[in-house]
Amino acid sequence: MTEVEPAVEPAPTGDDLLAQSRQYHLLALPMFVMSSFPTDAGMAAVAEATQAHLDYWAKLEEDGVMFAGGPMLPELGSDAWLGDGMITFKAQSLAAAQAIVEADPMHASGARQYELHPWLLNHLVVPDEVKS
């Protein structure tokens, strides 16, 4: 007797996940997450590009593009920061998101490289200390 393989459901698509999120009355906000980390240029290059990087994202925040961002913390205490960060933001497409990230002075100067991922924001809790 031959065993029959159980049917495997296909993985949901991005559109499926968005529809499901809406069905469950979640936020269902498509966004992008960018992780940024130093290149071999080192921390001096990161320090040199920091002000232009902050100004760039402040403008995108004013324009309603940037959602949240900041440096990745080392363990609290005296451990050195490694120069990496993360930003979540809105864009119309992956190509548009790549253009935004590549125009960041931190990346355009070669101080950092990045990884970019589409992300679906379904839950958001604002901490009490931010609300006041």
Side-chain angles (χ1 to χ4, degrees), residues 22-41:
R22 289 180 175 148
Q23 175 186 350
Y24 292 128
H25 306 287
L26 302 174
L27 290 175
L29 296 173
M31 294 194 166
F32 291 87
V33 175
M34 182 266 302
S35 298
S36 180
F37 42 95
T39 63
D40 291 338

Side-chain angles (χ1 to χ4, degrees), residues 52-68:
H53 163 78
L54 294 174
D55 293 344
Y56 176 77
W57 285 102
K59 173 72 170 106
L60 290 174
E61 181 181 7
E62 288 174 17
D63 294 344
V65 173
M66 192 200 37
F67 176 70

Side-chain angles (χ1 to χ4, degrees), residues 76-100:
L76 295 179
S78 60
D79 288 348
W81 176 55
L82 300 176
D84 48 345
M86 185 182 82
I87 296 176
T88 57
F89 63 98
K90 297 185 286 186
Q92 294 298 315
S93 65
L94 181 57
Q98 287 171 323
I100 289 168

